[in-house]
Amino acid sequence: MTIKLIGYSSSPSTLRVIATLNELGVTDYSLAPPENFSDLKSPEFLAEKNPFGKIPVLIDDGFTIYESRPIARYIVAKYQGKYNKKILIPDDIQKAALVDQYASAESCYYDPPLATIIFQELFKGLGGGGGPDAELVNTQLEKIAKILDIYERILEGKQFLTGSDISLADIFHYPTTAYTAKKHKDLYESRPNVKRWIDNIAKSEGVKKTFEDYPVPQF
Ligand SMILES: N[C@@H](CCC(=O)N[C@@H](CS)C(=O)NCC(=O)O)C(=O)O
């Protein structure tokens, strides 16, 4: 049965899920963008899809789940090893715990400043909310710069966060990075370990396909 992914291809959270599907070679899914953005707040959507009124939402075999990172974990639990040999969460308990550690760093420290910058510089204007709040953007740029200094140290001598192979944690970081990589390229290019890491993720087959299919909007 086809997996239904409710979301927009311009949404970094939705791209997190699509990249996971593509990395694992899952092709039997369809992207179902809500017709109107306001549909996310409709009583039907809130009751049946996501009470928080957000995308992405995945429906698989009658099972509905929201929040991009748990969705991706569900996809790994169900489909890893089924279509290709890619391992995004290893069986080894300690290796899996490290994937989780970096996944948590992504959602707690990496995502918040970048998500704010992306909203201010791209989505706020598209939604008719006016221009970016420059002071807020600058504060968030300072925050992410400090976080990236830590990543620069973590990534010393490594191809990916947990070593030589891509994991789910690397994939989680990529969409917000891709959205800011052009406009704020100094953030990434001034840190050689971070730059190498991002380039490595971008080259991974499923991530590459995702961002070829759905190029990042320029802003
Ligand atoms: N933590 C959530 C974030 C979801 C989220 O913020 N989605 C955005 C699109 S990227 C959305 O639905 N925005 C609609 C709104 O906030 O009204 C996840 O990872 O799925």
Side-chain angles (χ1 to χ4, degrees), residues 7-219:
Y8 297 107
S9 60
S10 58
S11 134
S13 301
T14 304
L15 290 166
R16 193 172 284 125
V17 175
I18 297 174
T20 306
L21 289 162
N22 285 337
E23 280 291 318
L24 293 178
V26 182
T27 54
D28 191 19
Y29 73 89
S30 65
L31 183 63
E35 210 166 297
N36 302 299
F37 208 58
S38 58
D39 293 351
L40 305 186
K41 313 298 176 208
S42 72
E44 185 272 337
F45 190 92
L46 297 175
E48 291 172 21
K49 306 291 191 304
N50 182 347
F52 296 97
K54 309 256 186 204
I55 48 100
V57 176
L58 184 105
I59 305 173
D60 180 28
D61 222 356
F63 172 67
T64 301
I65 177 167
Y66 56 82
E67 284 292 318
S68 60
R69 297 167 187 86
I71 294 172
R73 284 195 170 85
Y74 167 81
I75 293 164
V76 171
K78 186 160 175 190
Y79 296 104
Q80 178 166 277
K82 205 164 168 183
Y83 301 107
N84 64 23
K85 293 202 161 86
K86 186 69 67 81
I87 299 295
L88 298 181
I89 302 182
D91 281 342
D92 179 275
I93 292 173
Q94 292 180 350
K95 286 185 181 159
L98 290 178
V99 173
D100 227 14
Q101 168 190 276
Y102 290 119
S104 183
E106 185 275 327
S107 72
C108 296
Y109 315 130
Y110 195 92
D111 180 81
L114 288 179
T116 303
I117 293 165
I118 294 165
F119 176 76
Q120 286 294 324
E121 294 188 330
L122 179 65
F123 293 115
K124 189 178 171 193
L126 292 178
D133 174 337
E135 206 179 309
L136 178 58
V137 170
N138 280 335
T139 317
Q140 301 309 306
L141 284 170
E142 282 166 19
K143 273 195 185 161
I144 190 63
K146 287 192 181 131
I147 298 293
L148 284 170
D149 285 341
I150 300 171
Y151 275 76
E152 182 66 7
R153 290 197 288 276
I154 291 171
L155 288 160
E156 182 67 43
K158 289 193 214 164
Q159 299 305 311
F160 294 100
L161 285 166
T162 53
S164 53
D165 297 314
I166 193 166
S167 78
L168 194 63
D170 301 295
I171 294 173
F172 282 178
H173 287 78
Y174 193 72
T176 48
T177 307
Y179 266 64
T180 46
K182 273 225 165 78
K183 188 166 170 89
H184 299 292
K185 67 170 183 270
D186 273 8
L187 276 178
Y188 306 105
E189 297 199 347
S190 62
R191 296 174 174 85
N193 296 333
V194 169
K195 170 86 170 75
R196 180 184 63 249
W197 168 59
I198 289 163
D199 289 347
N200 285 339
I201 305 173
K203 276 186 270 177
S204 191
E205 209 177 318
V207 172
K208 187 163 174 275
K209 173 177 169 38
T210 304
F211 287 83
E212 278 169 5
D213 289 350
Y214 305 116
V216 170
Q218 295 310 312
F219 63 100

